[in-house]
Every structure is written in structure tokens, then in C-alpha cells.
Amino acid sequence: MSAKPTTHWNPHFALGITGHRVDNAAFTGNVAAVTTALSRLFDDIDQLCAEFAGRSGRVRMHNLLANGVDEIAASAALEHGWSLVAPLPFGPDLNCAINSGARTVEDFTAVCEGRAASDEQVQARAQAIRALEEHASVFAIADRDDAISELMLAKLAGPADDRVNARLAALYSINTALAGRVMLERSDLLIAVWDGETTDLAGGTGHTIKTALELGAPVLIMHPSCPEDWTICTLPEELARIGPAADQALARARLGALIEAALASMEEDRRVIERERWRAKAGFGLGFYRRIERLFGGRSTGSGTVTATYEAPDAIVQGSAAAALSAAQVAISKARVGGSGGSDETLAALRERILPTFAWADGVSSRLADAYRSGMSLSFLLSALAIIVGTAYLPLDLAKYKWIFASLELLLLLAILLITYAGYRRAWHRRWLETRRLAEYLRFAQGLLLIGVARPIGRWPRSERGEWPERVARDALRDAGLPNVIMDRPYVRSILTDVILLHVTGQRRYHEAKASQLQTAHHWMDRSAEVCFIAAIISVAVYLLLEIGSLLGLVPQGLPYSVAKSFTFLGVAFPTLGANLAGLRYFGDFDRFAAISRGTAMQLSDIETRIELLLSGDPERLTYGAASELARTVEQIVVSEIESWQAVFGSKHLSLPA
């Protein structure tokens, strides 16, 4: 049985937008110029997309839909036929009311409830924002809507209260910064209309620009007074010398390079994937390493199986991922924008593409790991057997048949060469590491996607050889997009409990079992090697005692001669077995991998405790910000663990056991 993963997701160029609101003087004095400049820039982007991707339309804009630059850019994006994604800092109704500019309790309440405001300008703004929301895929951070609404009504109802204003400003900035982070994590480029004044106001334009650069996302900056002369920055330090681009052609070339990188053809990646074949189980020979682990460490049910069987790509949705997906479906159906019911494109992408791809990569990688490690383990065993078989004629006193033993030794040595050649020829080591990276990047996909967290473009690990796993994982996760939900507290609690905590607990238990198993294997292989060397010492010592005894007349004089060949054989066999066991222990690095798994388990245990404390504590503390940060921490633990074990095994190529 064989299977291939789904590879029909399409790369897209992802934009973020930030800029001043209508209360900024530099912007309001140049609205027409900014609108024209953005339109021309979007034309350039369309042209470059067509040039590098063969067709236009592969652009996705992430936009917070604030009144001002955001609104202008969103309208222009829809005119260009781009997809519009709105990570809103508030629920759709509250977002509309805040950005409508309502100045009275009555108008604010009316807009929140979907009724017409008495102020015509407020109503016009509200209608414009709702129109954009209807054309966008909305991911709304609404867990603090009640508190923010209450503060807004208090502010509008009476004289300015410093405490109310300060609290409102804090919550407003926090949620705007959270929505901005969601946008930045998915953007190849942030377009910013900025006057260059300040970067320290959380959620503000300057702060969003600075955060983007710190996350590794490039930023295209246009000043409201001269928006046509935009420049592209890639480092936070460049903000200290920001100004119009000296060479606009060079700036456009940098834009083209970003688009080309985002839309590069996946054909080569697809060919790499298509060459790999998923199989339900490893062959008998490929399971040799697992049997070694079982012999010395006892393969626990928590860390794997002795018979190497792998979950089928088309079975994972009804198998290991069923509980998390079922909980996610219930949560999404209740929090879906526009009412309950229906499915979700992000959830569909998980079911149909991402999780099957994970299962495929996990199975392929496990089989390649079995082939690579079993090949090396078998080579160590055959090396020892070759020496033992080559000298076995001595105790049997079959010197005249030495050619038979020599022939068997030669066959064993040729088998080692054949295994080594096959490993190099089929690149077991490289393919194992690559497919394992892809599997681990996608392992926590459901937790990341359903809570709206992603690894920023500038934070993906870089590999010396072959970055296709990073590219495939990044494009697959980005193609799934954001769930179209109102992120209220019940949704956050459900995803945190039934998806993220479920994953963390399972992985913590796995790494604990794995660490125990590997440590046991290391211990008993070490002890076995020691026993072999002690046995060798004893065998040599016994022979020498027989010789001394013969000289002293304590044993028959002919006895040492008659057993000399047997003791010679034992003196060779025991050190050979001991050396090969020690070599296999060194190759497997059981102790170091046990330490990596132990450290990972401890980190996951800490996260597990933090999640449980958050879920059992004050409901007001259960915020989207807290949950999303926990998800980012889990994802970082996963990536760090990949980097740790690849740093150990990356240089351990299949080689002759010399």
C-alpha cells in the first residue's frame, strides 16, 4: 500500500496593511495622494505577481479595517480582486461602532445592535465598514468586547474620567496589538503609511512597523506627504534613518524579489514529495533497530511500537486527530461569524490537506529512520559476526575448512558494504531528516490554526541542505488561513482545553516514555559492553592461569595447548562484541536523546501546568492574548526539539562500522 500527500495548495503573496487613522493630520491632509499611491502600488504588485507566477490574483491582504488607511487599502484590494482577511481587534459589531466615530451613547448602541445611527456621517462610516466586513474572512478577537463596550459607554455618557480613559486606551491598544500580531505572522510584506513620529504606542502604526521588523517581516513605508517615494526596510535599525527611497527602481526590484520568493513554483517541492512513498509498515529488515531498542530498553507503548506500523494519511482524521477535530467543529459552529452552523475553510484544510500530509510525512520519515538506523545497527552486528565467524574454525579445530569460514566472513563484509551503499544511494539519512522536519512543523497545526497563531516568515529555521520542508509547511499552513470565527471566551476555552492541552499532554507523556526507554537502552547497552570486556579479561586470565598451572604441575601439561584455540576465539569474540555494542551505543546516542526528550517533557509539563491554571482560574484572565502566547510557546518547543536532535544526528551519516 502506498499513498501521497495532498500538494494542491497554492502559494500566495500575503500583505499586511497599517497606517494612520482619520485623526492624523499628516494623513488627512494627503488622503487623495495616499489613495493614488496605494492604487499604483497595488497595480505594480499585480504586475509582478503575473510576471513571477504566470497569473495574477495570488494576493491575500490582511487588514484590521480601521477607519483611515486600512479602509482605503481594503477597498482597493477588493477592486484588484484580492482576497481580504480581517483579523479584527474586536467583535464585528463593536469594531464597526468604534470605527464609525459615534459620539453619543445612542449612536454607539445603535451601530453595535445593527440599527441606523442618527448621525449621517456615523451611519455612512458604519455602512462602509460593514460592507468591507461582509467581503472579508473575519477573525475577530472578541473576548474583551463586554469590558470595552462598557468603558466606551461610560466615556460617551458623561465627563471624561481619567481612570475610564486610561483603562479603555489600554484595552484598545492591547487588542489592536494582538490583531496586528496575527496579521504580521501571516505577511510576506507589511505596507505602512507612516509619518515616522513614534514607535512606542502599542497597536499604533509605528509600533506595528517595529514589531514586523523584529519578527523578520519586511516593511514597505510610504510617508503621507510623499507616498509615491516609498522604501522597503528589513531591519528595526533602519527606522533610525528612514526616508524616501533614493532609487525607486531599486525599491521596486526589492519588492519583486519578495514577490518572487513568495510565489516561487512548488513544482520541485512536489517532485520531491512524489518520489517518496508512504507504506503501512516497514519490512522485517527495516525494523531491526526497533528490536535492538526493545532488547535493551523495552519499547514502551507510550513511545512507539515494536512492529513499525504507521497511521495512514486517509485515516488520521478518524483516528488520532478525531477528538481534537470534533471539538474544533463544535467550537467553530458556535463562534462562526454570521451565526452558528456550517463548516469552515480552515477546518476543512486541516481535515483534507494538512493532517493527511502530516500523517504521510510522519510515516515516510519513520520508515526512513528505521531504514537508516536499522542499516547502521545491522552493519555493527554483521561486523562483529564477520570477525567471530572468521575465527570460529579455531575452537572447532576445522583449519582445513577455513576457506568456508573465510567465505562466510567475506559475505558478511560484502553485506555491510551493500547496506552502506544502499544507504548512500537512497539517501536514507537526508530524506529522513527532511521528512521529519515537515512532520514536526505540521504536528501542532490544529492548535496553531484554530487559535490564529503562525510562525512569522523571518522566524522559520534555515537548513544547509534543502529547505523544501519549511516551504511546504509554511505554504500549507498559510493556505489554510484563519478560521472565520468570533474569538470569544467560550471559543478560546474550548480550543485551549480540547485541542492545545490535549496535544501538550499527549506529547509530554510521549517524551517521558521515550526518555525512560532511551535511558534504559543506554544503560543496558553500556552494561552489556562492559560484560563483554570483563568476559574477555576473564577468558584471557583463565588461559594464563592454565599455563601457569601447567608449569607448576597443577594441571595436565597438554591442557593449555588443547584449549588454546578456544580461548583465542573467546579473546577475540568478546572484545569484538563489546566494541560493537559500544559503537552502536555511540551511534544511537541514546543518552543524549533521552536528555533532549526529558528536557522537552519538562517544558511541556510547565506549559501543561500553565494551561490548567489558566483554565481553572479567574475567567477574566482567560484571554485570547494569554491563550495565543501559550500556543506560540508550544510551537517553539516543537521547533527547538527538532533543531536539537537534528544537530545531533545531522552529521551521523551512514558509514562503515570501522
Side-chain angles (χ1 to χ4, degrees), residues 275-318:
R275 285 197 294 267
E276 300 291 355
R277 290 291 180 270
W278 180 91
R279 293 179 175 83
K281 60 176 66 178
F284 177 81
L286 298 187
F288 183 73
Y289 178 81
R290 292 175 183 259
R291 290 173 174 81
I292 292 290
E293 276 193 345
R294 184 187 186 187
L295 176 64
F296 290 100
R299 212 170 226 283
S300 66
T301 56
S303 63
T305 58
V306 177
T307 55
T309 57
Y310 318 119
E311 187 170 34
D314 57 0
I316 187 171
V317 172
Q318 289 80 34

Side-chain angles (χ1 to χ4, degrees), residues 566-584:
S566 296
F567 277 96
T568 299
F569 172 77
L570 294 176
V572 171
F574 282 130
T576 299
L577 282 174
N580 279 271
L581 283 172
L584 185 56

Side-chain angles (χ1 to χ4, degrees), residues 423-475:
Y424 272 110
R425 185 79 176 84
R426 297 183 62 80
W428 289 337
H429 180 264
R430 174 182 58 78
R431 291 162 58 205
W432 165 43
L433 296 185
E434 289 177 349
T435 51
R436 177 48 54 195
R437 294 207 310 271
L438 175 59
E440 295 307 315
Y441 293 143
L442 298 180
R443 184 180 295 279
F444 187 47
Q446 58 266 45
L448 296 174
L449 290 173
L450 294 170
I451 206 70
V453 168
R455 176 162 284 265
I457 187 172
R459 296 285 180 86
W460 281 90
R462 297 182 180 274
S463 176
E464 293 181 0
R465 291 187 58 189
E467 293 186 4
W468 72 265
E470 286 75 19
R471 172 63 191 271
V472 169
R474 187 197 72 186
D475 284 347

Side-chain angles (χ1 to χ4, degrees), residues 123 324 349:
Q123 179 61 16

Side-chain angles (χ1 to χ4, degrees), residues 338-362:
S340 62
S343 186
D344 181 85
E345 291 184 6
T346 300
L347 193 58
L350 271 169
R351 285 191 174 121
E352 298 167 10
R353 300 192 294 277
I354 294 177
L355 289 175
T357 300
F358 159 72
W360 172 87
D362 191 48

Side-chain angles (χ1 to χ4, degrees), residues 91-283:
D93 293 330
L94 180 58
N95 181 73
C96 185
I98 288 175
N99 286 289
S100 69
R103 295 183 179 86
T104 66
V105 170
E106 291 74 20
D107 279 352
F108 182 84
T109 304
V111 175
C112 277
E113 295 176 354
R115 296 182 285 107
S118 59
D119 187 316
E120 293 182 359
Q121 289 186 341
V122 170
Q123 179 61 16
R125 288 178 187 169
Q127 287 178 334
I129 293 168
R130 287 201 186 278
L132 292 174
E133 289 178 352
E134 289 174 0
H135 286 88
S137 175
V138 173
F139 176 86
I141 303 173
D143 56 312
R144 287 174 163 169
D145 276 12
D146 291 342
I148 294 172
S149 295
E150 184 178 338
L151 290 168
M152 280 293 299
L153 290 171
K155 178 181 178 180
L156 294 172
D161 184 315
D162 290 342
R163 293 181 63 184
V164 169
N165 289 341
R167 177 65 176 157
L168 178 60
L171 291 181
Y172 185 92
S173 295
I174 289 170
N175 271 36
T176 304
L178 287 171
R181 178 67 184 260
V182 172
M183 171 180 69
L184 296 177
E185 288 178 339
R186 285 163 175 75
S187 297
D188 295 305
L189 175 69
L190 175 68
I191 297 174
V193 180
W194 182 47
D195 59 13
E197 290 297 322
T198 181
T199 62
D200 56 8
L201 178 60
T205 300
H207 181 268
T208 303
I209 292 170
K210 182 182 176 184
T211 303
L213 294 172
E214 289 171 346
L215 292 174
V219 182
L220 185 153
I221 299 177
M222 55 173 63
H223 195 284
S225 63
C226 50
E228 296 287 353
D229 296 327
W230 46 264
T231 187
I232 294 179
C233 298
T234 56
L235 300 171
E237 292 74 17
E238 291 182 80
L239 296 180
R241 47 186 299 180
I242 193 68
D247 186 342
Q248 202 61 37
L250 179 60
R252 191 176 186 277
R254 294 184 73 180
L255 175 62
L258 293 172
I259 294 174
E260 183 178 18
L263 298 182
S265 173
M266 289 186 66
E267 289 307 312
E268 184 176 347
D269 298 340
R270 288 191 174 100
R271 284 196 293 271
V272 171
I273 291 173
E274 288 170 359
R275 285 197 294 267
E276 300 291 355
R277 290 291 180 270
W278 180 91
R279 293 179 175 83
K281 60 176 66 178

